[in-house]
Amino acid sequence: MVGSEALTSPRQHGVTKPLSLAGPSEADLLRTKKLNKFLVDAGLYESQEEAAKREKVLGQIKLIVVDWVKELTRLRGYSDQMVEDANAVIFTFGSYRLGVHGPGADIDTLCVGPSYVNRDEDFFFVLHEMLTKKEEVTELQPVPSAHVPVMKFKFEGISIDLLYASISRLVVPDDLDISDVSVLYNVDEPTVRSLNGCRVADQILKLVPNVEHFRTTLRCLKFWAKRRGVYSNVTGFLGGVNWALLVARVCQFYPNAVPSMLVSRFFRVYTQWRWPNPVMLCAIQEDELGCTVWDPRKNPKDKTHHMPIITPAYPCMNSSYNVSTSTLRVMTEQFEYGNRICEEIELNKTQWPMLFEPYMFFECYKNYLQVDIVAADPDDLRAWKGWVESRLRQLTLMIERDTLGKLQCHPYPHEYTDPSKQCSHNAFFMGLQRKQGEIIQENQQFDIRGTVEEFRHSINMYMFWKPGMEIFVSHVRRKQIPLYVFPDGYKRARVPRAVNNQPVYGPGSAEKPSIKRKDEGRVDRDSPQRRKSVSPNPYMSPLMSPLSHDMVSPDMYSLSLASGPDLESNFKSEGVGFTVCSSVSSMVMNEEVELEKTSLVTGNNSQESSEEDSQSAVDKLSGDPIQVFKIEVLFLNFFSSISFYYLLDSECLKRKVTAAFRLSRR
C-alpha cells in the first residue's frame, strides 16, 4: 500500500462522494511503475533544456507585450506616470499550465491588458506589426474570427497560441488573481472565453485529490487518444481541456488510486456513463454577472448537446459542444476497446503497449471521403487549411442531417501530405458506413452530392481567399486509398479472422476480423455453425454477461457522392455510384453488457442506512475485488444517471443518495 497521505480523504472532491476510497495493491504499484517507464520511453516528457527554453521564451514575450502596452499608453496621451505604470501580464493555460505538455508542444498563452488597449485594433494590428519585425518570430498567423480569437506564431521555434483579454482596470498588476470573478466585470463574450482557459486550468488543479497522479493519468490518456484518433476538438472529438476534465472526474471518484488504477477506472467509468448526463467537477455556480451558463432548463440549445463536459469556473460552459452523434459513437467504441485491454492488463495477459496500438483507420471501412486542400505556397496553405479544418465538423453534421442519421461518418483528425504534388497540399479522410441495425430497402441510395456542394460553398466563403486556394472532395474505396497515408508507404496486411484463443474485438477496434466474401460461402446469421465460428471474449470480466458477437449480414446499398472541380485526373466533377457492404469488417454485439447489482451490506434486514454505514460496507469488502467492483458499478450507474437538476440542489442530492442506499439493501 502507499503512504498514509494517499489513504485518507480529508474532504470531498466533486459533486458526489467517491466511488471507492481503496488504495493500491502491490500489483497496482508495479503496474504504475511499468506505465511510467512506458511513458518515458515513448518520449512524452521534455528535456530540461527544452523546459528552460520555454521559460526564456515566455519571459521574452512578457517584455514585448509590456513594451506594446506602454507605447499605446504614450500614444493615447496618458501622463508619464501612467506610462511608467502601464503593464500587461502573461498567463499560461492548457497542457503547459496543467503540467502535461510534451516535447514540441505549443504553449497556450493569455495576455491580460488594461481597459484602453483593445483586441481588434491594438492586438491584431499594432502588436501583430511589432511581432512581424522580430527575427525570433516566424509563421505568424492571426485568427481574429475564431470562437476564441488567437494569434499563432513560433518564437525561436516554440509554438505559441497567444490570446488577449482587456479587463476593466487602468493598471494591471503583476500579481493579478485571475481566478477572482471580478476580472469578468464589463467584458465581452470573447474576453470571457479567453479568460476562462486560465481560470478552468487553475480550478482543475484545485479540484483533484492528487495533482501528480492526475498529471500522469492525463498524460497517458492524451497519448492514448491521439494514437486511437479521438484527440481533436475541431474535428468533433475531444481536445486537451475535455480530456483533462474527464480524467479529473475519475480522480475524484477514486481519490486514493494510483495512475495504473485510474487509467483502468477511466475506461470502466466512461464505458458505463449514460450520456448526455453531464460530467461536472463541481456544482454549477449561479448567474452572478449576467454571463450565460450551461443550463438545459433555460437554454434550449444546451439540450441538444450529446456529450456535456462542464467547465468548473464561472461561467460554467459545455467544453465539448463540438461532439456529434457520429463522433460520440466512435469515442464510445474506443472506450470499450480501452476497457477490454485494461482488463487484460490487470489479468497479466498483456502489457501497456497493447493499449496504445495505433488505430488502423484505413482498414476499418470500405468507403471514404477524401478532402484535398491545396494552395500556392506553404504560408497560404497554413491559413487555408486552418479554415477548412475548422469547418470539417460541419460536413459530418450535414451528412448526418441529410441522411437522417442513417449514414455514419468517422472523421479522422490526422492530416496527410502527398509529396508527389507540385502545389502545397494536405488531405483529410472520413470513413463512411451505414448505421448498424438499420433496415435496408432495396436499391436504397444515399445521394450526398448536394451535401458536399453545400459544404464546398460554405468553405468558399473564406474572407482571406487567395488564388490557388482550392478544395476537392472525392470518394475513394479502401483499395484506392493513396499510399502516402501509410507510415511505410505501403498498405499493411489485413488482420486475419480470430480463432480459438485469439482475442475477439468489438466495434471500433482497429483489429477487426474480415468478413467472408459471398463466394466463400455464407452461413445463416442464427445458425449454430455461425455462432460457433467466433470464440468468447477471453478477457471478459467475470461479472459481465457474455458478449454475443455476430457478423452483420452483407446487405447492400448504393451511395452517390460528388467531388469537386477537376484538378488532376483523380478529381472528377461527377457523382460516383458504388456499392457498400452494410458493415465493413466489423463485429457487433447482440446483447448489451449488463453488470450485476448487489446490495451494499449483507445480512442486515434494517431498512434504515446512513451514508457512513454504506461507506463502511465498501471498506469491509475492499479485500474482495469482485464485490467492490459490483458496488462501484452500482454507484456509478446511479451517479451518472442523476439529472443535472438534482446536482444544483445539494439537499435534494443527499436525499437521493440516501434513498439509493436504502433501496440497495432490500
Side-chain angles (χ1 to χ4, degrees):
M1 306 293 281
V2 296
S4 59
E5 62 178 358
L7 295 178
T8 59
S9 184
R11 63 186 180 91
Q12 175 176 317
H13 297 272
V15 294
T16 60
K17 286 186 175 295
L19 294 181
S20 172
L21 295 178
S25 65
E26 291 297 328
D28 292 321
L29 294 175
L30 179 60
R31 280 192 289 268
T32 296
K33 184 178 180 180
K34 292 180 178 179
L35 177 61
N36 284 326
K37 183 179 185 304
F38 174 83
L39 298 179
V40 171
D41 293 344
L44 299 186
Y45 293 87
E46 68 178 0
S47 64
Q48 293 183 352
E49 293 77 10
E50 186 175 356
K53 184 177 180 181
R54 288 178 184 272
E55 291 292 331
K56 178 184 175 183
V57 165
L58 288 173
Q60 291 175 288
I61 294 175
K62 160 73 172 176
L63 295 176
I64 291 173
V65 297
V66 169
D67 289 343
W68 165 60
V69 170
K70 287 183 180 296
E71 180 64 21
L72 288 171
T73 307
R74 182 181 299 106
L75 290 174
R76 289 182 180 155
Y78 287 96
S79 65
D80 292 342
Q81 185 61 45
M82 278 288 294
V83 173
E84 183 179 346
D85 294 339
N87 190 32
V89 184
I90 290 292
F91 294 94
T92 60
F93 61 100
S95 62
Y96 187 80
R97 173 70 183 91
L98 294 174
V100 295
H101 62 286
D106 59 2
I107 305 179
D108 295 309
T109 312
L110 170 69
C111 174
V112 179
S115 58
Y116 56 86
V117 177
N118 63 59
R119 181 190 304 105
D120 295 335
E121 293 85 12
D122 299 332
F123 181 71
F124 279 113
F125 286 93
V126 179
L127 181 59
H128 179 271
E129 287 301 311
M130 291 178 63
L131 291 175
T132 57
K133 297 175 182 178
K134 299 288 183 181
E135 294 182 357
E136 304 92 337
V137 176
T138 58
E139 300 183 14
L140 182 59
Q141 179 187 355
V143 192
S145 60
H147 186 65
V148 181
V150 61
M151 195 136 59
K152 298 174 176 284
F153 57 92
K154 287 188 177 181
F155 197 101
E156 294 186 357
I158 302 293
S159 296
I160 303 291
D161 285 357
L162 182 62
L163 281 57
Y164 179 69
S166 173
I167 62 174
S168 298
R169 299 193 185 187
L170 289 176
V171 178
V172 180
D174 280 325
D175 61 350
L176 176 69
D177 182 8
I178 200 169
S179 64
D180 192 328
V181 74
S182 64
V183 300
L184 301 177
Y185 289 148
N186 297 322
V187 298
D188 59 11
E189 283 293 325
T191 300
V192 172
R193 291 192 288 267
S194 300
L195 289 166
N196 250 21
C198 300
R199 290 162 51 80
V200 167
D202 288 346
Q203 280 295 104
I204 290 174
L205 295 176
K206 290 178 182 178
L207 291 170
V208 294
N210 186 308
V211 172
E212 287 307 313
H213 290 172
F214 162 75
R215 284 173 171 162
T216 301
T217 307
L218 178 55
R219 193 182 294 271
C220 172
L221 267 300
K222 286 179 64 175
F223 182 55
W224 173 86
K226 291 174 182 178
R227 298 283 283 180
R228 303 301 296 178
V230 289
Y231 188 97
S232 174
N233 182 63
V234 69
T235 313
F237 294 106
L238 301 181
V241 67
N242 311 126
W243 291 105
L245 292 169
L246 291 182
V247 171
R249 189 68 183 109
V250 174
C251 291
Q252 292 179 338
F253 279 139
Y254 304 94
N256 299 321
V258 293
S260 64
M261 299 169 65
L262 291 170
V263 171
S264 176
R265 300 308 188 274
F266 177 93
F267 293 115
R268 181 185 300 174
V269 165
Y270 294 115
T271 298
Q272 296 288 331
W273 197 270
R274 295 173 181 173
W275 305 105
N277 286 302
V279 172
M280 298 189 295
L281 301 187
C282 60
I284 293 180
Q285 298 181 35
E286 294 298 329
D287 191 355
E288 298 180 18
L289 302 176
C291 298
T292 302
V293 298
W294 186 83
D295 188 345
R297 299 172 303 178
K298 299 178 181 178
N299 310 318
K301 190 175 181 181
D302 293 343
K303 295 181 181 179
T304 66
H305 295 168
H306 300 285
M307 192 181 189
I309 303 173
I310 311 304
T311 56
Y314 177 84
C316 299
M317 309 174 185
N318 177 21
S319 63
S320 54
Y321 61 88
N322 277 355
V323 174
S324 68
T325 302
S326 290
T327 53
L328 176 58
R329 171 186 59 85
V330 173
M331 286 187 285
T332 301
E333 292 171 353
Q334 291 305 318
F335 289 155
E336 292 170 354
Y337 167 84
N339 190 45
R340 291 194 297 272
I341 299 301
C342 283
E343 288 176 359
E344 282 276 84
I345 293 172
E346 290 183 342
L347 294 173
N348 294 320
K349 292 186 177 181
T350 191
Q351 298 299 320
W352 288 112
M354 182 64 183
L355 180 65
F356 302 94
E357 283 293 308
Y359 182 63
M360 298 174 69
F361 174 72
F362 293 106
E363 286 78 14
C364 291
Y365 299 92
K366 273 192 175 180
N367 297 280
Y368 298 83
L369 284 185
Q370 178 175 338
V371 181
D372 287 89
I373 308 164
V374 297
D377 57 62
D379 290 336
D380 285 354
L381 179 64
R382 189 179 307 110
W384 179 232
K385 180 193 70 176
W387 166 254
V388 174
E389 188 176 10
S390 70
R391 306 295 297 175
L392 281 177
R393 183 178 69 92
Q394 298 300 322
L395 179 57
T396 301
L397 296 176
M398 290 175 183
I399 293 176
E400 289 178 354
R401 176 199 67 194
D402 293 347
T403 63
L404 303 179
K406 295 181 179 180
L407 182 61
Q408 294 181 332
C409 309
H410 180 171
Y412 202 51
H414 294 206
E415 62 184 61
Y416 299 91
T417 300
D418 185 355
S420 67
K421 292 191 181 295
Q422 299 297 320
C423 54
S424 297
H425 167 264
N426 276 126
F428 290 92
F429 292 83
M430 180 183 296
L432 298 174
Q433 71 175 10
R434 180 187 61 82
K435 181 179 180 180
Q436 296 177 2
E438 283 290 322
I439 299 176
I440 302 301
Q441 301 176 1
E442 187 175 358
N443 298 323
Q444 180 179 0
Q445 289 189 343
F446 292 112
D447 188 345
I448 60 172
R449 286 175 292 187
T451 307
V452 172
E453 187 57 35
E454 180 184 351
F455 169 71
R456 294 183 66 251
H457 179 73
S458 69
I459 292 297
N460 290 331
M461 301 292 288
Y462 185 50
M463 294 176 58
F464 305 99
W465 184 89
K466 294 180 181 179
M469 293 181 175
E470 299 292 346
I471 177 176
F472 305 93
V473 182
S474 54
H475 156 243
V476 292
R477 299 193 183 208
R478 183 170 56 212
K479 62 184 179 182
Q480 299 169 326
I481 293 292
L483 296 180
Y484 61 77
V485 307
F486 299 100
D488 301 318
Y490 58 87
K491 296 183 180 181
R492 292 165 287 196
R494 297 294 305 282
V495 179
R497 178 186 295 273
V499 292
N500 296 332
N501 295 327
Q502 298 281 341
V504 178
Y505 297 92
S509 170
E511 298 77 5
K512 297 181 178 181
S514 58
I515 296 177
K516 284 188 176 182
R517 300 295 182 263
K518 288 191 290 185
D519 56 357
E520 295 175 343
R522 290 181 54 184
V523 182
D524 291 339
R525 176 189 296 266
D526 298 323
S527 68
Q529 293 89 342
R530 186 172 189 105
R531 289 195 296 270
K532 292 180 181 179
S533 66
V534 181
S535 61
N537 195 327
Y539 44 76
M540 189 184 306
S541 165
L543 296 179
M544 292 184 180
S545 302
L547 303 183
S548 177
H549 295 283
D550 200 5
M551 293 294 186
V552 179
S553 61
D555 298 324
M556 316 302 282
Y557 68 90
S558 145
L559 176 65
S560 296
L561 301 176
S563 59
D566 197 325
L567 173 66
E568 296 180 8
S569 59
N570 59 327
F571 297 131
K572 304 291 186 180
S573 59
E574 59 184 6
V576 181
F578 59 98
T579 306
V580 185
C581 181
S582 61
S583 180
V584 182
S585 304
S586 63
M587 306 186 70
V588 296
M589 301 178 184
N590 261 354
E591 300 175 25
E592 182 180 356
V593 178
E594 292 291 339
L595 293 154
E596 296 178 4
K597 298 181 180 180
T598 184
S599 58
L600 295 177
V601 184
T602 57
N604 187 343
N605 295 325
S606 171
Q607 297 299 315
E608 298 297 326
S609 176
S610 66
E611 297 178 34
E612 290 76 10
D613 294 336
S614 302
Q615 184 60 57
S616 175
V618 175
D619 294 338
K620 288 179 181 179
L621 289 172
S622 60
D624 186 346
I626 294 180
Q627 293 295 329
V628 171
F629 176 64
K630 290 180 178 180
I631 294 171
E632 289 176 6
V633 171
L634 172 63
F635 286 152
L636 175 60
N637 283 332
F638 169 70
F639 286 136
S640 65
S641 63
I642 294 175
S643 73
F644 162 73
Y645 316 107
Y646 292 141
L647 292 175
L648 293 178
D649 184 346
S650 59
E651 287 302 318
C652 183
L653 174 61
K654 184 176 180 180
R655 292 194 298 271
K656 288 290 179 180
V657 172
T658 304
F661 289 150
R662 291 176 178 173
L663 180 63
S664 68
R665 293 168 54 85
R666 297 178 180 176

